[in-house]
Amino acid sequence: MIIKPVIKGQVAKTCHPIGCKKAVEEQIDYVRQADPIKNGPKKVLVLGASSGFGLASRISLAFGGAKADTIGVAFERGPSEASVGSAGWYNALYFREAAEQEGLIAKNFIGDAFSAEMRQQIIDYIKTEFGGTVDLVVYSLATGVRPDPETGQKIRSSLKTVGEPLTGYTVNLEKDCFDEGVLEAADPQEIEDTVRVMGGEDWAEWIKVLSDAGVLAEGCQTVAYSYIGSQITRRIYHEGTLGHAKEHLHKTADVLDEQLRKIGGQAHVAVCKALVTKASVFIPAFSPYILALFKVMKELGLHEGCIEQMQRLFAQRLYTETGEVPVDDQRLVRVDDWELRPDVQEKVQVILNEMGPDNFPELGDYEGYKNDFLKLNGFGFTDVNYDEEVSIENFASRQP
Ligand code: NAD
Ligand code: NA
């Protein structure tokens, strides 16, 4: 079949297997020539390993100097009669093939990271085939739903502000326009539910089950990813439901750090830059900021994607030569430092003051935003021939 991008709302309904391979290869090529990770971990579990920051973490840890064996967990769909499957499925497959060629172990678990069975399978695998322990756990799950571990009932997160509602524009990726919308105010239940889905509770549970099973190595580290943003995005993100969840994640890092110190380990939250991922395109009223930010950071030569962020995180923050992890006064690791530079924020504000539905493609980096989105799904690569037939049947018998 010939596969074209089909976008509905903020979701890509198709993906291109050859382009997904290209996307993984590009990231591998980047980290091979980047400032390498010295003293890196050797046995890594990545939760949320198939796209965005989690995939970039895995690529960076395998190919960016540490030569780590990795276990990747992700919720993805394989090809079927009905559909080509999801990009993350192909990403996981191509990552494994590339890592195995390098002589590294790259085991994928495709399924629900919240389920007890999945946790047990992973623990069994670590014990029987992965050398017994892991020395880094990367927590990079992003989801809108999580089952309550006690009742099994689904808890749903909301993307809302807190306090007064506000109006703003959101990029419509299907129609290439700005949609004006109201960012509603969350009620207390919605805040609490978002904290339970995207806060630190599940991260802490994972560390507990792994620790109880005895599969955390001496000196084991764990890291989860956060966003804080600036004054410009404060009402949309930091003070909103997601910001509340991230506050909880930050507190969880301190609790986990205390636990891991007992085995010589550490727990950190890394605060990252705003980027286009499968998850972030859903945040209402946030995209104009990203368009302006990309424009400014590219002009200043400061722009990074997920892979540049993760390579810098591991090489220059979490695994430094002295072993010391540089943190701020909240004990957070900051790789959002360039985004938050005062000169960057000032220039972004100037652009946003002028930006609207008629001029956003000129004033902001819409081309870059859209292209990043397409690339997440294997489209928009100049060296992939999108008019060529792809035989999905070839993938039917393969496993990530
Ligand atoms: P993403 O959607 O690209 O990746 C999410 C991953 O989680 C995927 O691998 C997906 O398969 C997996 N996943 C989701 N539900 C799952 C389940 N039930 N079981 C197993 N796997 C599951 O998202 P992302 O943007 O990379 O987000 C990762 C983290 O980074 C989040 O905590 C997010 O808040 C944070 N972050 C994102 C940005 C940004 O701008 N995108 C900035 C800073 C921090
Ligand atoms: Na991820």
Side-chain angles (χ1 to χ4, degrees), residues 47-54 73-76 111-114 139-143 145 198 225-227 237 246 249 270-280 286 290 306:
L47 301 161
S50 61
S51 63
F53 284 110
V73 187
F75 197 81
E76 301 292 346
D112 184 6
F114 297 119
Y139 188 88
S140 187
L141 297 178
T143 174
V145 235
M198 284 298 286
Y225 301 131
S226 182
Y227 184 72
Y237 195 100
K246 291 306 185 189
L249 190 78
V271 187
C272 304
K273 169 180 191 263
L275 280 168
V276 182
T277 66
K278 225 168 63 185
S280 73
F286 196 74
I290 302 196
C306 283

Side-chain angles (χ1 to χ4, degrees), residues 104-123:
L104 301 173
I105 300 173
K107 173 71 177 173
N108 290 312
F109 287 90
I110 305 296
D112 184 6
F114 297 119
S115 82
E117 299 77 52
M118 175 63 90
R119 287 168 199 215
Q120 194 53 52
Q121 275 181 42
I122 292 165
I123 288 166

